[in-house]
Amino acid sequence: TCVLGLPIAAQAVVALLLNPLHDHPLDLAVLVATLVVAELLPIRISRAARTDEITISSTFALALAVSAPLGLVVLAQGLPTIIDDLRRGKDPLRPLFNVAQYTLTFAAARVALQLVAGDLPSSPSAFAHRHLLGIVCAGVAFLVVNHGLVGTAIALSTRVPIHQQLLDDIRFELVTSGLLLCLAPLVLVGLAFSPVLVLVVLLPIEAVRRSAMLALEREHDALHDSLTGLANRALLRAHLQAAVTHAERTGGGVVLIMLDLDHFKEINDTLGHSVGDELLIDVARRLHGSVRQDQAFISRLGGDEFAVVAAIDGVGDLQQSAAQLAKRLSWVLQEPTTLAGVRVDIQASMGIALMPEHGVTIDDLLARADVALYAAKEVRGGWSFYEPARDQHTPQRLGLLAELRDGLERGELVLHYQPKCETRSGQVIGMEALVRWQHPVRGLLSPDDFIP
């Protein structure tokens, strides 16, 4: 993309400098100004339980690309893009790629318009009826080239098959960038009458922005815990599914840690629920600050239970990475805190499940992390990896519980009496009454099979 796009961009800018613009400066200034402002003010939207951004500059970029020298639109789109990328601390190569792919996109739109309409408008206000079909084709070329280049780059970066990435994103692109591109002819028609009419196009765009903000707020409330601000169970499942899918594609692994505070009920009962809420907020703050957000995902599942998800490249050192993460979480929670004038030591038990070692679906990982958590709570303040030998949560065991209720009503529990003898005299000095379950299908069951 850079090899093709950057030389074209440089040539177009040089041509613009050698042949400065003289005609219709006001029209061009209006388009450039709206493009720059639109590029620096993206719309944040919710997409698949995550936040994404779309720029509203596509409308004005297409209008400018088909009615002004290529060098002007490259500068108008490229400079704010470079400034925004550098301001956000992105990789220095990112702006170069963006300028190159935008140049190729604009060039493709201009070629499409010229092939269909036969010529390019001499200025934004020179847009005519014969250009309408051409600008529709230019918009299609704009969308295809822009989506294809960006989607391919993302696919290569995330190791997702290119065709799958493009297909996954095409619907999103059609209802966002595609709809914005449809406004470009309105901009050109407005300029044919007065540059002031371009402002009319900004009104529906602003309405879209406000609607997107409200939708984002509603989705945020639905996917986050109101007390701590952390992700809730629904967002955890979505993130965990994405991590599992990524690990399957790349051959990596996933660490899931379920974390439960020790003695939290005693703190609630002694100091009150409001103090307990303060403790949960403090724990959430500590967990959130203990890891980088691109390395681990933290959520609150409810009560005093939290979850941490980390994606690991390669599975060779998966257990070691999980142990290091658990140790770090344990360390940040160890510092005492004062609640309602009482010094409180925070301890947490953690259960760890690994993908692919302990499961390859999110339900398996969540269930097995829970099993490991119960094992860890037996020792308090430590962590435990999932062990199949400790997992008694089976469908057979669950079915046995329902059968036990029926067995109680049918009188299937029986007593066996075992004598206790004094070894010196051989006399019977007592007895034990031991319960058995005379199961109609499984036979005589010992207490170990049903009392727990």
Side-chain angles (χ1 to χ4, degrees):
T1 299
C2 289
V3 167
L4 290 176
L6 292 179
I8 297 176
Q11 183 180 8
V13 171
V14 170
L16 177 67
L17 296 177
L18 294 177
N19 299 284
L21 298 171
H22 299 289
D23 297 332
H24 306 280
L26 182 58
D27 292 347
L28 296 175
V30 169
L31 282 183
V32 169
T34 51
L35 191 157
V36 171
V37 172
E39 180 64 28
L40 295 177
L41 296 174
I43 299 177
R44 298 182 66 212
I45 62 173
S46 177
R47 182 184 178 194
R50 64 184 174 88
T51 301
D52 207 340
E53 287 186 349
I54 60 170
T55 60
I56 57 177
S57 61
S58 301
T59 300
F60 309 103
L62 178 59
L64 194 62
V66 299
S67 60
L70 182 59
L72 180 63
V73 66
V74 168
L75 286 176
Q77 180 77 63
L79 289 178
T81 299
I82 292 173
I83 293 172
D84 190 53
D85 286 344
L86 295 179
R87 178 176 61 86
R88 298 186 183 208
K90 295 182 178 179
D91 189 293
L93 294 178
R94 178 75 172 272
L96 294 179
F97 170 80
N98 285 337
V99 170
Q101 65 96 1
Y102 274 128
T103 300
L104 295 176
T105 298
F106 299 147
R110 292 170 67 86
V111 170
L113 174 61
Q114 204 160 12
L115 288 175
V116 175
D119 65 340
L120 297 173
S122 58
S123 70
S125 57
F127 177 76
H129 292 295
R130 71 178 186 276
H131 295 121
L132 184 58
L133 179 60
I135 199 172
V136 171
C137 295
V140 173
F142 188 107
L143 184 66
V144 169
V145 175
N146 186 57
H147 173 60
L149 293 176
V150 175
T152 301
I154 293 174
L156 294 174
S157 175
T158 58
R159 302 179 186 177
V160 176
I162 294 176
H163 71 279
Q164 182 175 343
Q165 178 69 37
L166 295 179
L167 289 175
D168 289 346
D169 280 352
I170 187 62
R171 182 180 299 177
F172 174 77
E173 292 293 333
L174 286 174
V175 299
T176 53
S177 298
L179 293 178
L180 290 172
L181 290 173
C182 292
L183 296 175
L186 298 180
V187 173
L188 294 174
V189 170
L191 283 173
F193 291 92
S194 170
V196 178
L197 292 180
V198 176
L199 300 178
V200 176
V201 180
L202 297 178
L203 297 178
I205 292 179
E206 179 60 22
V208 171
R209 176 195 296 277
R210 290 185 176 274
S211 297
M213 291 174 60
L214 292 175
L216 188 62
E217 290 176 2
R218 287 195 295 267
E219 176 127 359
H220 182 276
D221 293 341
L223 296 175
H224 289 79
D225 172 49
S226 59
L227 177 65
T228 63
L230 295 178
N232 62 14
R233 185 180 292 272
L235 189 52
L236 168 70
R237 291 182 64 89
H239 183 88
L240 186 57
Q241 182 61 65
V244 167
T245 302
H246 178 73
E248 289 174 345
R249 291 170 177 169
T250 62
V254 177
V255 175
L256 172 61
I257 299 179
M258 300 287 262
L259 184 150
D260 190 272
L261 301 182
D262 297 333
H263 309 296
F264 180 72
K265 185 178 184 302
E266 288 85 342
I267 294 174
N268 253 350
D269 293 343
T270 304
L271 302 178
H273 289 276
S274 60
V275 175
D277 288 347
E278 290 181 24
L279 176 60
L280 293 175
I281 294 172
D282 183 52
V283 168
R285 177 187 56 80
R286 296 189 190 195
L287 294 176
H288 190 271
S290 65
V291 295
R292 283 171 41 190
Q293 299 312 299
D294 59 344
Q295 292 179 335
F297 179 86
I298 301 172
S299 65
R300 180 190 175 208
L301 304 183
D304 60 331
E305 191 172 14
F306 298 82
V308 181
V309 178
I312 308 296
D313 292 332
V315 296
D317 58 349
L318 195 57
Q319 281 214 0
Q320 181 180 356
S321 300
Q324 290 175 349
L325 178 58
K327 186 182 298 184
R328 190 186 320 156
L329 297 174
S330 179
W331 182 79
V332 300
L333 294 177
Q334 283 180 355
E335 184 179 350
T337 186
T338 300
L339 300 172
V342 179
R343 184 178 182 274
V344 177
D345 288 326
I346 305 175
Q347 287 187 322
S349 301
M350 286 173 271
I352 306 173
L354 308 175
M355 180 264 180
E357 182 176 341
H358 300 146
V360 293
T361 68
I362 60 173
D363 289 323
D364 285 343
L365 291 174
L366 289 169
R368 288 164 187 175
D370 259 331
V371 172
L373 175 61
Y374 289 128
K377 288 189 77 68
E378 295 178 0
V379 296
R380 297 281 185 177
W383 65 82
S384 175
F385 286 93
Y386 170 76
E387 295 180 11
R390 294 183 174 182
D391 191 355
Q392 298 181 356
H393 296 78
T394 63
Q396 294 80 7
R397 182 181 177 85
L398 190 62
L400 198 64
L401 175 61
E403 294 172 3
L404 180 57
R405 297 181 185 275
D406 296 335
L408 286 169
E409 294 178 359
R410 292 194 296 260
E412 293 174 359
L413 295 190
V414 296
L415 289 177
H416 284 205
Y417 298 98
Q418 177 172 293
K420 297 172 67 175
C421 298
E422 207 278 328
T423 55
R424 292 182 180 177
S425 64
Q427 293 181 345
V428 175
I429 60 173
M431 64 177 180
E432 293 179 349
L434 304 175
V435 67
R436 300 287 189 271
W437 182 5
Q438 188 63 57
H439 194 281
V441 177
R442 305 186 187 190
L444 193 66
L445 300 180
S446 68
D448 289 343
D449 294 325
F450 64 90
I451 284 183

